[in-house]
Amino acid sequence: MSKILLLEDDSNLNETVTEFLEEQGYDVVSVYDGYEAQEKLYESKYDLLLLDINVPGIDGLDLLKESRQEGVVAPAIYITSMDSVDDLERGFESGCDDYIRKPFALKELLIRVETLLKRGFFHEQKELIQISKNIAYDIKNNTLIIDGETVSLGNKESRLLKLFMKTEGEIIAHERIYKHLWDYDEEPSDTALRTYIKNLRKIIGKERIVSIKKQGYKFRTEK
């Protein structure tokens, strides 16, 4: 479960975003002022930061700038009503990765969150992620290498494998896979999911993807 720090001094918006992201399966720590956010960053590691800029205490810009200097590498999204080019420039110079302006749709926020979390995980890895002794995933080229040979995956199989690699050892519920695998204008299908699972198992081995009855699937690499 990805852990998100939310800094937002508007109590209604804070509660709305927190509740929405928790419903999507995220662990959200929400705070209302910059100093409290600063304390949370010292106390724990986060996978993503959602930061309002104009907040009590230290503002979002200075908070992130100082955090970057202290070695915090988690991707960050600014949530703000500021909309000038100069504001945008200051935001990126302070170390943010993305910017969303108020008011915004929760669906748009989710897209940005998921995009940065996917990018962040694979940026932290080496060029190859070892799945078994003879199978590795090539991050740069988005392909599998099996016994030295390159094997390309279909779009859905590739997205599914990336989700599994990010969540190794966790039981991933069907609903979470549906949200990850199908775009918003597509209709999820349990039959199609079983086909993608079957295709992946043929390539990387049945033992890598374990079916957990009435719960979902668990991915495991060879240690």
Short mmCIF file of all heavy atoms in Angstrom, two decimals, residues 144-194:
data_model
loop_
_atom_site.label_atom_id
_atom_site.label_comp_id
_atom_site.label_asym_id
_atom_site.label_seq_id
_atom_site.Cartn_x
_atom_site.Cartn_y
_atom_site.Cartn_z
N LEU A 144 10.67 -8.21 -21.45
CA LEU A 144 11.21 -9.30 -20.64
C LEU A 144 12.42 -9.88 -21.35
O LEU A 144 12.49 -9.92 -22.58
CB LEU A 144 10.16 -10.39 -20.46
CG LEU A 144 9.09 -10.18 -19.40
CD1 LEU A 144 8.05 -11.30 -19.50
CD2 LEU A 144 9.69 -10.16 -18.01
N ILE A 145 13.38 -10.35 -20.56
CA ILE A 145 14.53 -11.06 -21.10
C ILE A 145 14.51 -12.46 -20.49
O ILE A 145 14.63 -12.62 -19.28
CB ILE A 145 15.86 -10.35 -20.78
CG1 ILE A 145 15.86 -8.95 -21.37
CG2 ILE A 145 17.04 -11.16 -21.30
CD1 ILE A 145 17.07 -8.13 -21.00
N ILE A 146 14.33 -13.45 -21.36
CA ILE A 146 14.23 -14.84 -20.90
C ILE A 146 15.34 -15.64 -21.56
O ILE A 146 15.40 -15.74 -22.80
CB ILE A 146 12.86 -15.45 -21.23
CG1 ILE A 146 11.74 -14.60 -20.60
CG2 ILE A 146 12.77 -16.89 -20.76
CD1 ILE A 146 10.34 -15.09 -20.93
N ASP A 147 16.24 -16.18 -20.74
CA ASP A 147 17.39 -16.93 -21.25
C ASP A 147 18.15 -16.14 -22.32
O ASP A 147 18.58 -16.68 -23.34
CB ASP A 147 16.94 -18.28 -21.83
CG ASP A 147 16.39 -19.21 -20.75
OD1 ASP A 147 16.95 -19.21 -19.64
OD2 ASP A 147 15.40 -19.91 -21.03
N GLY A 148 18.27 -14.84 -22.08
CA GLY A 148 19.02 -13.98 -22.98
C GLY A 148 18.25 -13.49 -24.19
O GLY A 148 18.75 -12.66 -24.95
N GLU A 149 17.02 -13.97 -24.37
CA GLU A 149 16.20 -13.57 -25.51
C GLU A 149 15.14 -12.55 -25.08
O GLU A 149 14.55 -12.68 -24.01
CB GLU A 149 15.51 -14.79 -26.13
CG GLU A 149 16.45 -15.84 -26.68
CD GLU A 149 17.21 -15.36 -27.90
OE1 GLU A 149 16.64 -14.55 -28.67
OE2 GLU A 149 18.37 -15.77 -28.07
N THR A 150 14.90 -11.55 -25.92
CA THR A 150 13.92 -10.52 -25.62
C THR A 150 12.51 -10.99 -25.98
O THR A 150 12.28 -11.51 -27.07
CB THR A 150 14.23 -9.22 -26.41
OG1 THR A 150 15.52 -8.74 -26.02
CG2 THR A 150 13.20 -8.14 -26.12
N VAL A 151 11.59 -10.81 -25.04
CA VAL A 151 10.20 -11.20 -25.26
C VAL A 151 9.32 -9.98 -25.03
O VAL A 151 9.34 -9.38 -23.96
CB VAL A 151 9.78 -12.33 -24.29
CG1 VAL A 151 8.31 -12.66 -24.48
CG2 VAL A 151 10.64 -13.56 -24.49
N SER A 152 8.56 -9.59 -26.04
CA SER A 152 7.67 -8.45 -25.91
C SER A 152 6.33 -8.88 -25.32
O SER A 152 5.88 -10.01 -25.55
CB SER A 152 7.43 -7.80 -27.28
OG SER A 152 8.63 -7.28 -27.81
N LEU A 153 5.71 -7.98 -24.58
CA LEU A 153 4.41 -8.26 -23.97
C LEU A 153 3.34 -7.37 -24.59
O LEU A 153 3.63 -6.27 -25.05
CB LEU A 153 4.46 -8.00 -22.46
CG LEU A 153 5.39 -8.88 -21.62
CD1 LEU A 153 5.42 -8.36 -20.18
CD2 LEU A 153 4.93 -10.32 -21.64
N GLY A 154 2.09 -7.84 -24.53
CA GLY A 154 0.98 -7.00 -24.93
C GLY A 154 0.82 -5.86 -23.93
O GLY A 154 1.34 -5.92 -22.81
N ASN A 155 0.07 -4.84 -24.32
CA ASN A 155 -0.09 -3.66 -23.46
C ASN A 155 -0.66 -4.02 -22.09
O ASN A 155 -0.13 -3.61 -21.05
CB ASN A 155 -1.00 -2.65 -24.15
CG ASN A 155 -1.29 -1.44 -23.28
OD1 ASN A 155 -2.32 -1.36 -22.62
ND2 ASN A 155 -0.38 -0.49 -23.27
N LYS A 156 -1.73 -4.80 -22.07
CA LYS A 156 -2.37 -5.14 -20.79
C LYS A 156 -1.48 -6.06 -19.97
O LYS A 156 -1.37 -5.92 -18.75
CB LYS A 156 -3.73 -5.80 -21.05
CG LYS A 156 -4.81 -4.84 -21.57
CD LYS A 156 -5.27 -3.89 -20.49
CE LYS A 156 -6.56 -3.18 -20.85
NZ LYS A 156 -6.40 -2.19 -21.92
N GLU A 157 -0.83 -7.03 -20.61
CA GLU A 157 0.07 -7.92 -19.88
C GLU A 157 1.24 -7.15 -19.27
O GLU A 157 1.65 -7.43 -18.14
CB GLU A 157 0.59 -9.03 -20.81
CG GLU A 157 -0.39 -10.11 -21.15
CD GLU A 157 -1.29 -9.77 -22.32
OE1 GLU A 157 -1.19 -8.62 -22.83
OE2 GLU A 157 -2.10 -10.61 -22.72
N SER A 158 1.74 -6.18 -20.01
CA SER A 158 2.86 -5.37 -19.51
C SER A 158 2.43 -4.55 -18.30
O SER A 158 3.13 -4.49 -17.29
CB SER A 158 3.37 -4.44 -20.62
OG SER A 158 4.43 -3.62 -20.15
N ARG A 159 1.26 -3.93 -18.37
CA ARG A 159 0.75 -3.13 -17.26
C ARG A 159 0.48 -4.01 -16.04
O ARG A 159 0.74 -3.62 -14.89
CB ARG A 159 -0.52 -2.38 -17.69
CG ARG A 159 -0.25 -1.30 -18.71
CD ARG A 159 -1.50 -0.73 -19.32
NE ARG A 159 -2.26 0.10 -18.41
CZ ARG A 159 -3.30 0.85 -18.78
NH1 ARG A 159 -3.66 0.85 -20.06
NH2 ARG A 159 -3.95 1.56 -17.92
N LEU A 160 -0.03 -5.20 -16.29
CA LEU A 160 -0.32 -6.13 -15.20
C LEU A 160 0.96 -6.59 -14.52
O LEU A 160 1.05 -6.62 -13.28
CB LEU A 160 -1.09 -7.33 -15.74
CG LEU A 160 -1.52 -8.40 -14.73
CD1 LEU A 160 -2.38 -7.79 -13.63
CD2 LEU A 160 -2.29 -9.51 -15.45
N LEU A 161 1.97 -6.91 -15.31
CA LEU A 161 3.24 -7.35 -14.73
C LEU A 161 3.88 -6.24 -13.90
O LEU A 161 4.43 -6.48 -12.82
CB LEU A 161 4.20 -7.79 -15.84
CG LEU A 161 5.58 -8.27 -15.37
CD1 LEU A 161 5.46 -9.43 -14.40
CD2 LEU A 161 6.45 -8.65 -16.56
N LYS A 162 3.80 -5.00 -14.37
CA LYS A 162 4.36 -3.87 -13.62
C LYS A 162 3.65 -3.72 -12.28
O LYS A 162 4.29 -3.46 -11.25
CB LYS A 162 4.24 -2.58 -14.43
CG LYS A 162 5.23 -2.46 -15.57
CD LYS A 162 5.07 -1.12 -16.27
CE LYS A 162 6.10 -0.93 -17.36
NZ LYS A 162 5.95 0.39 -18.03
N LEU A 163 2.33 -3.87 -12.28
CA LEU A 163 1.58 -3.80 -11.02
C LEU A 163 2.03 -4.90 -10.08
O LEU A 163 2.25 -4.65 -8.88
CB LEU A 163 0.08 -3.92 -11.29
CG LEU A 163 -0.82 -4.00 -10.05
CD1 LEU A 163 -0.70 -2.72 -9.22
CD2 LEU A 163 -2.27 -4.26 -10.44
N PHE A 164 2.19 -6.11 -10.60
CA PHE A 164 2.64 -7.22 -9.77
C PHE A 164 4.02 -6.97 -9.19
O PHE A 164 4.28 -7.25 -8.02
CB PHE A 164 2.64 -8.52 -10.58
CG PHE A 164 1.29 -9.17 -10.74
CD1 PHE A 164 0.96 -9.82 -11.91
CD2 PHE A 164 0.36 -9.13 -9.71
CE1 PHE A 164 -0.29 -10.44 -12.06
CE2 PHE A 164 -0.89 -9.73 -9.85
CZ PHE A 164 -1.21 -10.38 -11.03
N MET A 165 4.93 -6.44 -9.99
CA MET A 165 6.29 -6.21 -9.52
C MET A 165 6.32 -5.14 -8.43
O MET A 165 7.11 -5.21 -7.49
CB MET A 165 7.21 -5.82 -10.69
CG MET A 165 7.54 -6.97 -11.61
SD MET A 165 8.83 -6.59 -12.83
CE MET A 165 8.00 -5.37 -13.84
N LYS A 166 5.45 -4.15 -8.55
CA LYS A 166 5.39 -3.09 -7.54
C LYS A 166 4.81 -3.58 -6.22
O LYS A 166 5.08 -3.00 -5.17
CB LYS A 166 4.52 -1.92 -8.04
CG LYS A 166 5.18 -1.03 -9.07
CD LYS A 166 4.22 0.04 -9.54
CE LYS A 166 3.74 0.91 -8.42
NZ LYS A 166 2.79 1.96 -8.87
N THR A 167 4.01 -4.64 -6.30
CA THR A 167 3.26 -5.09 -5.11
C THR A 167 3.63 -6.53 -4.74
O THR A 167 2.80 -7.25 -4.19
CB THR A 167 1.75 -4.99 -5.36
OG1 THR A 167 1.42 -5.76 -6.54
CG2 THR A 167 1.32 -3.55 -5.57
N GLU A 168 4.84 -6.91 -5.05
CA GLU A 168 5.26 -8.29 -4.79
C GLU A 168 4.97 -8.71 -3.34
O GLU A 168 5.28 -7.99 -2.40
CB GLU A 168 6.76 -8.45 -5.06
CG GLU A 168 7.25 -9.87 -4.85
CD GLU A 168 8.76 -10.01 -4.97
OE1 GLU A 168 9.42 -9.00 -5.27
OE2 GLU A 168 9.25 -11.13 -4.74
N GLY A 169 4.36 -9.87 -3.23
CA GLY A 169 4.07 -10.41 -1.90
C GLY A 169 2.73 -9.97 -1.34
O GLY A 169 2.26 -10.55 -0.35
N GLU A 170 2.10 -8.98 -1.94
CA GLU A 170 0.80 -8.51 -1.48
C GLU A 170 -0.32 -9.26 -2.21
O GLU A 170 -0.15 -9.69 -3.35
CB GLU A 170 0.61 -7.02 -1.75
CG GLU A 170 1.55 -6.10 -1.01
CD GLU A 170 1.27 -4.65 -1.36
OE1 GLU A 170 0.09 -4.31 -1.64
OE2 GLU A 170 2.22 -3.86 -1.37
N ILE A 171 -1.47 -9.40 -1.56
CA ILE A 171 -2.64 -9.92 -2.24
C ILE A 171 -3.32 -8.74 -2.92
O ILE A 171 -3.74 -7.79 -2.26
CB ILE A 171 -3.62 -10.60 -1.27
CG1 ILE A 171 -2.94 -11.82 -0.62
CG2 ILE A 171 -4.89 -11.02 -2.00
CD1 ILE A 171 -3.80 -12.49 0.44
N ILE A 172 -3.39 -8.79 -4.25
CA ILE A 172 -3.98 -7.69 -5.01
C ILE A 172 -5.41 -8.05 -5.40
O ILE A 172 -5.64 -9.01 -6.15
CB ILE A 172 -3.16 -7.40 -6.29
CG1 ILE A 172 -1.69 -7.19 -5.93
CG2 ILE A 172 -3.70 -6.16 -7.00
CD1 ILE A 172 -1.43 -6.09 -4.94
N ALA A 173 -6.35 -7.30 -4.88
CA ALA A 173 -7.77 -7.58 -5.14
C ALA A 173 -8.11 -7.34 -6.61
O ALA A 173 -7.48 -6.53 -7.29
CB ALA A 173 -8.65 -6.70 -4.26
N HIS A 174 -9.12 -8.06 -7.07
CA HIS A 174 -9.55 -7.92 -8.47
C HIS A 174 -9.89 -6.48 -8.81
O HIS A 174 -9.53 -5.98 -9.88
CB HIS A 174 -10.76 -8.82 -8.73
CG HIS A 174 -10.48 -10.28 -8.62
ND1 HIS A 174 -10.65 -10.98 -7.45
CD2 HIS A 174 -10.02 -11.18 -9.52
CE1 HIS A 174 -10.33 -12.25 -7.63
NE2 HIS A 174 -9.93 -12.40 -8.88
N GLU A 175 -10.60 -5.80 -7.89
CA GLU A 175 -11.02 -4.43 -8.16
C GLU A 175 -9.83 -3.51 -8.39
O GLU A 175 -9.86 -2.61 -9.23
CB GLU A 175 -11.88 -3.90 -7.01
CG GLU A 175 -13.28 -4.47 -6.96
CD GLU A 175 -14.07 -4.19 -8.23
OE1 GLU A 175 -13.96 -3.06 -8.74
OE2 GLU A 175 -14.77 -5.08 -8.71
N ARG A 176 -8.77 -3.71 -7.61
CA ARG A 176 -7.58 -2.88 -7.78
C ARG A 176 -6.94 -3.14 -9.13
O ARG A 176 -6.47 -2.21 -9.80
CB ARG A 176 -6.57 -3.16 -6.66
CG ARG A 176 -5.33 -2.27 -6.73
CD ARG A 176 -4.44 -2.47 -5.53
NE ARG A 176 -3.22 -1.71 -5.64
CZ ARG A 176 -2.21 -1.80 -4.80
NH1 ARG A 176 -2.29 -2.62 -3.75
NH2 ARG A 176 -1.12 -1.09 -4.97
N ILE A 177 -6.92 -4.39 -9.57
CA ILE A 177 -6.36 -4.72 -10.88
C ILE A 177 -7.19 -4.09 -11.98
O ILE A 177 -6.67 -3.54 -12.95
CB ILE A 177 -6.28 -6.24 -11.07
CG1 ILE A 177 -5.31 -6.85 -10.04
CG2 ILE A 177 -5.80 -6.59 -12.48
CD1 ILE A 177 -5.23 -8.36 -10.07
N TYR A 178 -8.52 -4.14 -11.83
CA TYR A 178 -9.40 -3.54 -12.83
C TYR A 178 -9.07 -2.05 -13.01
O TYR A 178 -8.95 -1.54 -14.14
CB TYR A 178 -10.87 -3.66 -12.41
CG TYR A 178 -11.42 -5.07 -12.41
CD1 TYR A 178 -12.50 -5.40 -11.58
CD2 TYR A 178 -10.89 -6.05 -13.22
CE1 TYR A 178 -13.02 -6.69 -11.57
CE2 TYR A 178 -11.40 -7.34 -13.22
CZ TYR A 178 -12.47 -7.66 -12.38
OH TYR A 178 -12.97 -8.92 -12.36
N LYS A 179 -8.93 -1.34 -11.88
CA LYS A 179 -8.67 0.10 -11.93
C LYS A 179 -7.32 0.41 -12.57
O LYS A 179 -7.15 1.44 -13.22
CB LYS A 179 -8.72 0.70 -10.52
CG LYS A 179 -10.11 0.72 -9.92
CD LYS A 179 -10.09 1.24 -8.49
CE LYS A 179 -11.47 1.20 -7.87
NZ LYS A 179 -11.46 1.65 -6.45
N HIS A 180 -6.36 -0.48 -12.35
CA HIS A 180 -5.02 -0.26 -12.89
C HIS A 180 -4.93 -0.62 -14.37
O HIS A 180 -4.25 0.05 -15.13
CB HIS A 180 -4.01 -1.11 -12.11
CG HIS A 180 -2.59 -0.93 -12.55
ND1 HIS A 180 -1.77 0.06 -12.08
CD2 HIS A 180 -1.85 -1.63 -13.45
CE1 HIS A 180 -0.60 -0.02 -12.66
NE2 HIS A 180 -0.61 -1.04 -13.49
N LEU A 181 -5.66 -1.67 -14.76
CA LEU A 181 -5.48 -2.24 -16.09
C LEU A 181 -6.35 -1.59 -17.14
O LEU A 181 -5.94 -1.45 -18.30
CB LEU A 181 -5.78 -3.74 -16.01
CG LEU A 181 -4.95 -4.68 -16.90
CD1 LEU A 181 -3.48 -4.50 -16.61
CD2 LEU A 181 -5.38 -6.13 -16.67
N TRP A 182 -7.55 -1.19 -16.74
CA TRP A 182 -8.47 -0.62 -17.72
C TRP A 182 -8.57 0.89 -17.54
O TRP A 182 -8.68 1.39 -16.42
CB TRP A 182 -9.85 -1.25 -17.57
CG TRP A 182 -9.95 -2.57 -18.29
CD1 TRP A 182 -10.31 -2.77 -19.58
CD2 TRP A 182 -9.68 -3.87 -17.74
NE1 TRP A 182 -10.28 -4.11 -19.87
CE2 TRP A 182 -9.91 -4.81 -18.77
CE3 TRP A 182 -9.28 -4.32 -16.48
CZ2 TRP A 182 -9.73 -6.17 -18.59
CZ3 TRP A 182 -9.10 -5.69 -16.29
CH2 TRP A 182 -9.32 -6.60 -17.32
N ASP A 183 -8.55 1.61 -18.65
CA ASP A 183 -8.71 3.06 -18.61
C ASP A 183 -10.15 3.40 -18.27
O ASP A 183 -11.04 2.55 -18.30
CB ASP A 183 -8.30 3.67 -19.95
CG ASP A 183 -6.82 3.48 -20.24
OD1 ASP A 183 -6.03 3.49 -19.27
OD2 ASP A 183 -6.46 3.30 -21.42
N TYR A 184 -10.38 4.68 -17.99
CA TYR A 184 -11.69 5.11 -17.51
C TYR A 184 -12.81 4.91 -18.53
O TYR A 184 -13.97 4.77 -18.17
CB TYR A 184 -11.64 6.57 -17.08
CG TYR A 184 -10.81 6.78 -15.84
CD1 TYR A 184 -9.54 7.35 -15.93
CD2 TYR A 184 -11.26 6.39 -14.59
CE1 TYR A 184 -8.75 7.53 -14.80
CE2 TYR A 184 -10.48 6.55 -13.45
CZ TYR A 184 -9.24 7.12 -13.57
OH TYR A 184 -8.46 7.29 -12.46
N ASP A 185 -12.45 4.90 -19.82
CA ASP A 185 -13.47 4.73 -20.85
C ASP A 185 -13.59 3.28 -21.30
O ASP A 185 -14.27 2.98 -22.29
CB ASP A 185 -13.16 5.63 -22.05
CG ASP A 185 -11.79 5.36 -22.64
OD1 ASP A 185 -10.98 4.65 -22.00
OD2 ASP A 185 -11.51 5.87 -23.75
N GLU A 186 -12.96 2.36 -20.56
CA GLU A 186 -13.02 0.94 -20.90
C GLU A 186 -13.82 0.18 -19.84
O GLU A 186 -13.87 0.58 -18.69
CB GLU A 186 -11.61 0.34 -21.00
CG GLU A 186 -10.76 0.93 -22.11
CD GLU A 186 -9.36 0.33 -22.13
OE1 GLU A 186 -8.79 0.10 -21.04
OE2 GLU A 186 -8.84 0.09 -23.23
N GLU A 187 -14.40 -0.92 -20.26
CA GLU A 187 -15.20 -1.75 -19.36
C GLU A 187 -14.37 -2.94 -18.89
O GLU A 187 -13.95 -3.78 -19.69
CB GLU A 187 -16.45 -2.26 -20.09
CG GLU A 187 -17.42 -3.01 -19.20
CD GLU A 187 -18.10 -2.11 -18.18
OE1 GLU A 187 -18.29 -0.91 -18.49
OE2 GLU A 187 -18.43 -2.61 -17.08
N PRO A 188 -14.09 -3.04 -17.58
CA PRO A 188 -13.31 -4.17 -17.07
C PRO A 188 -14.02 -5.50 -17.33
O PRO A 188 -15.25 -5.56 -17.36
CB PRO A 188 -13.22 -3.89 -15.56
CG PRO A 188 -13.46 -2.43 -15.43
CD PRO A 188 -14.45 -2.09 -16.51
N SER A 189 -13.23 -6.54 -17.50
CA SER A 189 -13.79 -7.85 -17.77
C SER A 189 -13.01 -8.91 -17.00
O SER A 189 -11.79 -9.01 -17.14
CB SER A 189 -13.73 -8.16 -19.28
OG SER A 189 -13.91 -9.53 -19.53
N ASP A 190 -13.72 -9.71 -16.20
CA ASP A 190 -13.08 -10.78 -15.46
C ASP A 190 -12.54 -11.85 -16.41
O ASP A 190 -11.47 -12.42 -16.18
CB ASP A 190 -14.07 -11.40 -14.47
CG ASP A 190 -13.40 -12.42 -13.55
OD1 ASP A 190 -12.44 -12.03 -12.86
OD2 ASP A 190 -13.83 -13.58 -13.54
N THR A 191 -13.26 -12.09 -17.49
CA THR A 191 -12.82 -13.07 -18.49
C THR A 191 -11.51 -12.61 -19.13
O THR A 191 -10.57 -13.40 -19.29
CB THR A 191 -13.89 -13.26 -19.57
OG1 THR A 191 -15.10 -13.71 -18.97
CG2 THR A 191 -13.43 -14.27 -20.62
N ALA A 192 -11.46 -11.32 -19.48
CA ALA A 192 -10.24 -10.79 -20.09
C ALA A 192 -9.08 -10.84 -19.10
O ALA A 192 -7.95 -11.18 -19.47
CB ALA A 192 -10.47 -9.36 -20.55
N LEU A 193 -9.34 -10.53 -17.82
CA LEU A 193 -8.29 -10.57 -16.82
C LEU A 193 -7.71 -11.98 -16.70
O LEU A 193 -6.49 -12.15 -16.63
CB LEU A 193 -8.83 -10.11 -15.46
CG LEU A 193 -7.84 -10.22 -14.28
CD1 LEU A 193 -6.57 -9.42 -14.56
CD2 LEU A 193 -8.50 -9.75 -12.98
N ARG A 194 -8.57 -12.97 -16.67
CA ARG A 194 -8.09 -14.35 -16.59
C ARG A 194 -7.23 -14.70 -17.80
O ARG A 194 -6.23 -15.43 -17.67
CB ARG A 194 -9.27 -15.32 -16.48
CG ARG A 194 -9.97 -15.29 -15.13
CD ARG A 194 -10.82 -16.54 -14.91
NE ARG A 194 -11.89 -16.63 -15.89
CZ ARG A 194 -13.11 -16.13 -15.71
NH1 ARG A 194 -13.41 -15.50 -14.57
NH2 ARG A 194 -14.03 -16.26 -16.63
#
